[in-house]
Amino acid sequence: MTDIDVGQFFHGGRMRWGTEGRCADCPNGWCDEDSGPVAPEHIRQALLLAHGPALLRLSGDAPSLVPVLQALRDARDLSLAEARAEAARLADDGLLGTLVEMEVLALFLRGRGVEVTVAPASTA
């Protein structure tokens, strides 16, 4: 049996994630860390299951689309079409993801002057 811990964090201007595991019946273990615009799906799903999703929403008047698109493309390395789709979701019901993913997006959006809030999806 193997015990595995996963996590996401923001460091050095990049989203990072890590896994740490150990064998329950032996002294073997490991630690792995990586970074990029999106965490591997198995890490995302484990965090969403453990903590629930966070919701990123616009908190001010609808801003110009340009800074929103720039922030989304900078944060997630998206194509223009992908950024437009995410911007439309942000302006509609908001974006769902892990808390770290939504806080990282919020940093990029606020850096472009876009007012947003992040809250647990269950209370938003």
Side-chain angles (χ1 to χ4, degrees):
M1 185 165 151
T2 304
D3 295 319
I4 300 175
D5 293 317
V6 299
Q8 285 180 313
F9 54 99
F10 189 68
H11 180 71
R14 295 186 54 93
M15 186 170 66
R16 306 182 70 79
W17 55 86
T19 59
E20 186 175 308
R22 64 187 175 285
C23 174
D25 299 323
C26 68
N28 296 327
W30 75 92
C31 182
D32 189 27
E33 186 179 298
D34 205 349
S35 66
V38 180
E41 195 59 26
H42 70 280
I43 291 175
R44 291 186 77 250
Q45 291 305 315
L47 293 169
L48 289 168
L49 182 64
H51 304 288
L55 180 65
L56 174 69
R57 288 185 145 159
L58 295 174
S59 59
D61 293 332
S64 164
L65 186 60
V66 173
V68 173
L69 292 174
Q70 290 170 330
L72 291 171
R73 292 187 77 195
D74 288 347
R76 293 212 171 155
D77 196 28
L78 301 173
S79 71
L80 184 55
E82 292 167 329
R84 283 183 185 274
E86 284 213 357
R89 284 193 297 274
L90 178 64
D92 189 23
D93 292 332
L95 295 174
L96 287 172
T98 68
L99 178 60
V100 172
E101 290 168 345
M102 296 303 98
E103 288 291 358
V104 168
L105 281 177
L107 283 171
F108 279 87
L109 288 159
R110 290 176 186 133
R112 297 278 184 175
V114 179
E115 295 179 32
V116 293
T117 59
V118 178
S122 60
T123 62

